[in-house]
Amino acid sequence: AMRCLRDRVRDLGRDDRLRGVTWWRDIGAAAGALQPHPHAQLLSAGQLLPRSARIARHCARHLALRGRPLMQDVLDLARESRE
C-alpha cells in the first residue's frame, strides 16, 4: 500500500498544474471515516495547501538559521536517541 501511495505521489509531482500533495490515513468512525477498514486518502491541489506552506516556510527559516535542512536535523536526533 505504501509503494502505491509513493508511486501516486511521485506521479502527481510530475504534473505542472499541481503545487501541493498531501495524504492521511483514516481508521474507522472514530477518525471520521465512513469506511470501517483502514484506508488512505490523497489530496492534490493547484496551490500549496496552507499547512504545507507553513511547513515550507518553517523549513526555509531553519535552513537559513542553521545551514542544515530541518528534516536532516530531525533524522539525526532520532538516530542519536536510539544509540
Side-chain angles (χ1 to χ4, degrees):
M2 292 305 292
R3 285 187 187 126
C4 180
L5 180 63
R6 177 200 63 197
D7 293 346
R8 186 65 182 131
V9 168
R10 284 181 178 167
D11 183 48
L12 289 168
R14 293 184 196 102
D15 189 331
D16 292 336
R17 298 170 299 167
L18 301 175
R19 297 263 304 134
V21 177
T22 190
W23 72 278
W24 62 93
R25 189 165 181 225
D26 289 330
I27 304 174
L34 298 176
Q35 301 294 325
H37 60 274
H39 63 283
Q41 296 187 40
L42 183 65
L43 173 70
S44 58
Q47 62 186 16
L48 198 54
L49 303 168
R51 182 171 184 265
S52 298
R54 283 192 304 275
I55 291 169
R57 285 192 303 271
H58 186 73
C59 289
R61 187 170 46 247
H62 182 89
L63 181 62
L65 290 172
R66 310 240 192 250
R68 298 179 309 275
L70 175 60
M71 293 312 298
Q72 185 62 55
D73 282 354
V74 169
L75 290 171
D76 290 346
L77 184 60
R79 285 187 190 114
E80 290 171 12
S81 69
R82 286 190 303 192
E83 295 172 357

